[in-house]
Amino acid sequence: MASGPVERARLLRETCEFILGRGVVDLSLSELARGIGSNNRMLLYHFGSLDALLAAAVDEILGGTALLDRLGELLTGEGTAAERVAAAWRHIADPARRPHLRLFFARFGMAADVPGRHPEFLAQTRDRWVEVVTGALRSDATVTQPEETAVAIVALWRGLQMLLICGTPATEVDAAHERAVAALLPG
């Protein structure tokens, strides 16, 4: 039985595939182990706990800072602030990201339920997105309150992401985004 870094990487990869299809809510270590063709002891040996394994898998799936890095690029690209925010929203709302959105909100729910257990996840969810948007808005002289506007944009994105997960047609969600951004940012 393999037990080194190659096996750990394989278990993490299998876990990522499994939870993208199944989700993480009410997932037991035993169910996960069976689902990926492993056993509880091997998963605990490599990751220490189900929470640690799920945190590693969620981080892997959500790309760590890859999405935020891409949003930062889009938000500092060409065009008006409103056009750049719209480009970032299109990237976030891409239908290929729906499983990732569901996973993010499931993980958020688990972290919010026991805040002391997942402080890093909550801090990143609270701070990093706002920091990225604020940084981009600060470079635009037409935006007079970049911090407050960034908080409003991130809140808008989170709410609209939830609507997408709930099945609201993308055209309606995109129209709501367009109306809200027009109210928040100069043309």
Side-chain angles (χ1 to χ4, degrees):
M1 183 178 331
S3 64
V6 171
E7 178 64 3
R8 184 182 195 286
R10 183 192 72 78
L11 292 170
L12 182 58
R13 191 173 50 255
E14 295 286 332
T15 298
C16 290
E17 290 177 24
F18 185 80
I19 66 175
L20 271 173
R22 193 267 188 212
V24 295
V25 175
D26 294 329
L27 178 63
S28 70
L29 185 64
S30 297
E31 180 186 355
L32 176 59
R34 282 190 308 276
I36 65 171
S38 186
N39 60 61
N40 293 9
R41 286 180 54 184
M42 186 60 69
L43 295 178
L44 292 174
Y45 171 80
H46 284 286
F47 299 95
S49 69
L50 176 61
D51 276 348
L53 173 53
L54 292 178
V58 169
D59 287 348
E60 181 77 16
I61 291 166
L62 297 179
T65 63
L67 177 59
L68 282 172
D69 292 345
R70 180 64 181 137
L71 292 179
E73 292 169 10
L74 291 167
L75 289 166
T76 57
E78 297 294 318
T80 67
E83 291 167 341
R84 294 189 316 267
V85 167
W89 170 249
R90 285 190 300 276
H91 185 70
I92 294 166
D94 184 318
R97 283 191 187 70
R98 295 294 151 68
H100 300 84
L101 292 179
R102 286 190 295 276
L103 181 61
F104 169 80
F105 281 104
R107 178 80 167 125
F108 176 77
M110 292 181 342
D113 190 42
V114 186
R117 211 157 108 194
H118 307 284
E120 299 86 13
F121 180 83
L122 291 174
Q124 179 169 332
T125 299
R126 182 191 65 236
D127 300 333
R128 278 291 285 138
W129 283 62
V130 172
E131 290 168 4
V132 168
V133 177
T134 298
L137 295 179
R138 274 196 187 121
S139 66
D140 190 317
T142 65
V143 180
T144 57
Q145 297 178 311
E147 293 85 4
E148 293 85 357
T149 304
V151 169
I153 289 169
V154 172
L156 171 67
W157 285 347
R158 294 289 189 224
L160 295 178
Q161 288 169 325
M162 292 176 86
L163 289 176
L164 287 172
I165 292 169
C166 293
T168 303
T171 54
E172 291 178 28
V173 174
D174 291 342
H177 184 269
E178 188 175 325
R179 283 190 301 279
V181 169
L184 290 169
L185 295 170

